[in-house]
């Protein structure tokens, strides 16, 4: 007898990193709700991929990637799968004026199936340290502070067995801790228990030192009033022996600044058998090529700084401070904060946190070129950034180069999400 397929909906879905992890663990998505157009296009393309993969029609997806042109959306692919697959992505801003319309669309997609799990993370700028530094006092009135209340409305409507609410660690302390306390109170009023712990992505096999607050809630009683055994998972954390340069980047072709293409196939420089980390974690995907291995162009001034930054890191394992850069190369007036704005990805361990700012300039993610010169230094490519977030290589990010970087920076690492999903699956009846 086949195991039951448990269903989920993904709120504030972004490009779908959290969702991808749950799909890999065996869950079935009913709907993804997201307001950003390009993230929605990416979700549609990924939904089409999963449909075609399941139905032995991967050649359609492969042809799409090989022949895709810049500035085209995914319509050529989306039109080759059932409309309901594409309609499972609901492009909408979750709010008072939209939530009932979204409920109606989810109900249509669910076909009276129960929603077993709800996942998602409301945009975190309102709670993040960087967001508070940037927005100052305006943060107090930012409507994103209140988005958790809409998440709770989905819990009230669909009554899932469990839920996963992902956010920045500082959600606990933002606004004196009141939003977090309110979230706990609201879900407990609905009959759920809730617990939040800070998790480090590198403990879950991700080659990135990214801290996230993973809040998990569960029903205290089942539909028959019987107490459940659900609880916050005990995650077995282990230090990874893998290294970014050797195990994550080395099979991708060499690039210089400005090289690569946004669309089209990219062949690997090494066999999969030589890449244990990628093989073990299924990160090369199911296609014989990847895509979007494209690096930003960088001017001479920036490339000279990149050389100094890499040399310092390789020699001292320290990042270059902005104050150490010669005055004639300093282009920012602010010389007191964000002094690590030029940072090198650690080739011999895990990368520092990948954030949405990667869409702006790439200086915080300098490729660790072994013998740096002003001709060969660059910032990381879209595909390298995606791998740092543990997206598989057959995952395509729709939109411009900047839109792709932003989606990647905002995502939940796929391997982290998959491990969470596996632990939840162990708890619910099979």
């Amino acid at each position: 007898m086949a195991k039951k397929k448990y269903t989920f909906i993904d709120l504030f879905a972004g490009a779908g990193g959290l969702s991808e992890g749950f799909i890999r663990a065996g869950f079935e998505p009913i709907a993804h709700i997201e307001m950003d157009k390009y993230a929605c296009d990416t979700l549609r393309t990924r939904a089409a991929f999963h449909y075609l993969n399941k139905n032995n029609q991967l050649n359609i997806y492969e042809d799409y990637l090989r022949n895709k042109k810049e500035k085209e959306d995914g319509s050529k692919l989306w039109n080759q799968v059932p409309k309901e697959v594409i309609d499972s992505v609901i492009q909408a801003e979750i709010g008072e004026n939209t939530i009932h319309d979204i409920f109606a669309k989810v109900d249509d997609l669910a076909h009276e199936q129960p929603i077993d799990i709800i996942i998602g993370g409301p945009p975190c700028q309102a709670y993040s340290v960087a967001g508070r530094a940037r927005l100052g006092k305006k943060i107090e009135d930012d409507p994103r502070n209140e988005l958790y209340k809409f998440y709770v409305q989905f819990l009230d409507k669909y009554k899932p067995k469990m839920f996963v609410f992902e956010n920045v660690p500082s959600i606990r302390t933002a606004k004196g801790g009141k939003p977090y306390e309110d979230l706990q109170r609201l879900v407990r009023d609905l009959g759920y228990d809730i617990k939040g712990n800070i998790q480090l992505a590198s403990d879950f096999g991700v080659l990135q030192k990214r801290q996230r607050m993973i809040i998990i809630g569960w029903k205290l009683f089942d539909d028959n009033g019987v107490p459940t055994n659900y609880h916050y998972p005990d995650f077995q954390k282990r230090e990874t022996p893998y290294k970014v340069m050797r195990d994550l980047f080395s099979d991708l072709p060499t690039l210089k600044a400005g090289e690569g293409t946004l669309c089209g196939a990219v062949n690997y420089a090494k066999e999969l058998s030589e890449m244990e980390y990628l093989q073990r974690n299924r990160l090369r995907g199911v296609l014989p090529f990847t895509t979007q291995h494209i690096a930003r162009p960088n001017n001479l001034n920036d490339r000279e700084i990149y050389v100094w930054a890499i040399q310092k890191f390789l020699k001292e394992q320290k990042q270059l401070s902005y104050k150490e850069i010669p005055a004639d190369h300093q282009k920012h007036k602010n010389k007191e904060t964000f002094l690590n704005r030029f940072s090198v990805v650690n080739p011999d361990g895990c990368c520092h946190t990948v954030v949405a700012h990667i869409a702006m300039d790439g200086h915080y993610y300098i490729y660790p070129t072994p013998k740096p010169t002003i001709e060969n230094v660059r910032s990381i490519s879209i595909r390298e950034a995606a791998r740092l977030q543990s997206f598989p290589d057959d995952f395509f990010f729709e939109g411009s180069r900047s839109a792709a970087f932003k989606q990647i920076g905002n995502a939940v690492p796929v391997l982290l999400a998959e491990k969470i999903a596996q632990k939840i699956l162990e708890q619910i009846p099979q």
Side-chain angles (χ1 to χ4, degrees), residues 255-418:
L255 287 181
K256 292 180 181 177
E259 288 187 343
T261 57
L262 192 57
C263 299
V266 175
N267 294 320
Y268 294 110
K270 289 185 180 181
E271 295 294 326
L272 179 57
S273 58
E274 299 176 64
M275 305 297 295
E276 181 189 326
Y277 173 79
L278 299 179
Q279 190 170 23
R280 173 174 286 188
N281 293 295
R282 297 182 291 153
L283 293 190
R284 281 254 288 239
V286 294
L287 301 178
F289 62 88
T290 188
T291 56
Q292 299 188 296
H293 186 41
I294 176 175
R296 275 192 182 84
N298 296 111
N299 62 41
L300 179 61
N301 188 81
D302 288 339
R303 295 202 310 275
E304 287 178 334
I305 297 173
Y306 284 14
V307 172
W308 299 327
I310 296 168
Q311 287 173 337
K312 182 178 177 70
F313 191 85
L314 295 181
K315 191 175 177 182
E316 304 174 31
Q317 281 71 57
K318 290 180 180 175
Q319 300 291 1
L320 182 72
S321 168
Y322 197 68
K323 288 182 176 179
E324 297 176 74
I325 297 170
D328 63 334
H329 282 65
Q330 292 184 0
K331 305 300 179 186
H332 293 269
K333 291 177 182 175
N334 181 358
K335 299 175 188 178
E336 300 306 317
T337 56
F338 302 117
L339 297 180
N340 61 344
R341 57 169 60 98
F342 286 90
S343 289
V344 180
V345 172
N346 182 0
D348 296 319
C350 295
C351 181
H352 49 282
T353 305
V354 177
V355 296
H357 183 80
I358 194 173
M360 306 305 289
D361 56 34
H363 300 335
Y364 197 55
Y365 304 96
I366 301 169
Y367 183 84
T369 309
K371 294 179 181 176
T373 67
I374 56 171
E375 285 78 32
N376 68 11
V377 293
R378 60 176 176 86
S379 57
I380 62 173
S381 71
I382 292 173
R383 184 52 56 196
E384 287 158 349
R387 281 185 170 189
L388 286 170
Q389 288 279 54
S390 59
F391 280 98
D393 283 356
D394 49 31
F395 202 109
F396 189 86
F397 300 88
E398 298 285 357
S400 65
R401 185 181 62 210
S402 291
F405 274 126
K406 181 183 175 187
Q407 291 170 57
I408 293 165
N410 278 328
V412 177
V414 174
L415 286 178
L416 170 61
E418 183 178 13

Side-chain angles (χ1 to χ4, degrees), residues 6-10 19 22-23 27-31 115 117 119:
Y6 283 102
T7 61
F8 72 92
I9 55 175
D10 189 0
S19 177
F22 271 74
I23 292 168
F27 287 85
E28 188 82 37
I30 297 296
I115 304 299
I117 308 288
I119 65 175

Side-chain angles (χ1 to χ4, degrees), residues 109-334:
L109 291 162
H111 301 305
E112 299 186 348
Q113 293 179 86
I115 304 299
D116 295 306
I117 308 288
I118 290 179
I119 65 175
C124 58
Q125 290 89 338
Y127 304 127
S128 72
V129 173
R132 282 186 264 176
R134 190 174 65 252
L135 295 170
K137 289 190 175 178
K138 288 184 194 169
I139 201 76
E140 297 299 319
D141 302 317
D142 193 306
R144 290 173 295 189
N145 282 322
E146 305 292 309
L147 288 174
Y148 69 90
K149 294 178 181 176
F150 295 110
Y151 191 110
V152 172
Q153 287 190 45
F154 278 87
L155 297 178
D156 191 23
K157 162 83 172 162
Y158 292 107
K159 299 176 173 52
K161 294 174 174 64
M162 299 181 77
F163 66 87
V164 178
F165 183 110
E166 176 271 348
N167 221 278
V168 290
S170 50
I171 187 176
R172 264 185 178 158
T173 54
K175 297 187 76 174
K178 287 179 182 173
Y180 187 60
E181 289 171 13
D182 194 39
L183 171 66
Q184 292 176 305
R185 180 186 60 79
L186 289 169
V187 300
R188 284 175 176 146
D189 286 348
L190 294 177
Y192 290 86
D193 203 353
I194 180 174
K195 185 176 179 181
N197 281 334
I198 294 171
Q199 305 293 351
L200 184 63
S202 56
D203 288 338
F204 294 76
V206 183
L207 295 189
Q208 182 191 162
K209 292 192 176 299
R210 181 191 190 94
Q211 283 193 328
R212 301 300 282 185
M213 172 66 83
I214 303 299
I215 299 166
I216 295 176
W218 56 91
K219 267 187 175 177
L220 288 167
F221 299 92
D222 68 15
D223 295 340
N224 298 315
V226 178
T228 68
N229 292 316
Y230 306 149
H231 55 272
Y232 196 95
D234 179 21
F235 295 113
Q236 292 155 343
K237 301 167 184 180
R238 50 176 68 98
E239 279 200 31
T240 178
Y242 300 106
K243 300 177 178 182
V244 165
M245 195 65 158
R246 183 190 69 196
D247 301 306
L248 197 65
F249 287 176
S250 67
D251 65 328
L252 294 171
T254 304
L255 287 181
K256 292 180 181 177
E259 288 187 343
T261 57
L262 192 57
C263 299
V266 175
N267 294 320
Y268 294 110
K270 289 185 180 181
E271 295 294 326
L272 179 57
S273 58
E274 299 176 64
M275 305 297 295
E276 181 189 326
Y277 173 79
L278 299 179
Q279 190 170 23
R280 173 174 286 188
N281 293 295
R282 297 182 291 153
L283 293 190
R284 281 254 288 239
V286 294
L287 301 178
F289 62 88
T290 188
T291 56
Q292 299 188 296
H293 186 41
I294 176 175
R296 275 192 182 84
N298 296 111
N299 62 41
L300 179 61
N301 188 81
D302 288 339
R303 295 202 310 275
E304 287 178 334
I305 297 173
Y306 284 14
V307 172
W308 299 327
I310 296 168
Q311 287 173 337
K312 182 178 177 70
F313 191 85
L314 295 181
K315 191 175 177 182
E316 304 174 31
Q317 281 71 57
K318 290 180 180 175
Q319 300 291 1
L320 182 72
S321 168
Y322 197 68
K323 288 182 176 179
E324 297 176 74
I325 297 170
D328 63 334
H329 282 65
Q330 292 184 0
K331 305 300 179 186
H332 293 269
K333 291 177 182 175
N334 181 358

Side-chain angles (χ1 to χ4, degrees), residues 95-111:
E96 206 61 65
N97 298 326
T98 60
I99 195 163
H100 294 290
D101 183 49
I102 294 169
F103 286 162
K105 288 178 179 176
V106 172
D107 291 345
D108 284 345
L109 291 162
H111 301 305

